[in-house]
Amino acid sequence: EQYRSNLVQSLEIAFSADVSPEILQTLLNLAEFMEHDGVEGGLPIDIAVLADLALKCRAYAKALHYKEREHGMGRGGHCVEALISINKKLDLPEAAL
């Protein structure tokens, strides 16, 4: 448990630092791996933070995934605008409607 909290703390520091999009992409891949590898709920990092980071490094499919999860959690109207924008960037205009 201590290792997990140290990992989360380190990731949050890295997410707020001025790092290259490639490094952000690698960190997002780690977060996604933890989510799919049976770690219940993934890492305890705010979904909105992960979505914004994915947008920052132009990982639109990841951003869509996180924004859809955020919307599913009942987090309001700003998600809808972001979902429309991301779907347009992924060239999925029918999903944006």
Side-chain angles (χ1 to χ4, degrees):
E1 184 62 36
Q2 182 180 357
Y3 293 120
R4 183 176 174 175
S5 86
N6 286 343
L7 174 63
V8 169
Q9 185 178 22
S10 297
L11 284 173
E12 288 173 342
I13 290 168
F15 288 156
S16 63
D18 187 25
V19 296
S20 72
E22 292 82 16
I23 292 173
L24 283 179
Q25 180 70 43
T26 302
L27 296 173
L28 285 168
N29 287 342
L30 174 62
E32 182 181 19
F33 173 78
M34 296 292 287
E35 180 182 340
H36 293 292
D37 193 43
V39 176
E40 189 171 327
L43 293 173
I45 297 173
D46 187 25
I47 296 294
V49 170
L50 294 173
D52 291 342
L53 291 170
L55 283 171
K56 186 177 178 180
C57 64
R58 296 185 179 134
Y60 298 123
K62 282 186 193 313
L64 181 63
H65 167 74
Y66 290 126
K67 281 295 179 185
E68 285 175 342
R69 284 188 53 202
E70 186 179 357
H71 182 68
M73 296 167 71
R75 292 192 182 173
H78 76 279
C79 287
V80 174
E81 290 179 22
L83 285 168
I84 291 169
S85 174
I86 295 166
N87 276 303
K88 286 182 180 177
K89 288 177 182 175
L90 289 170
D91 200 23
L92 300 169
E94 68 281 353
L97 301 174

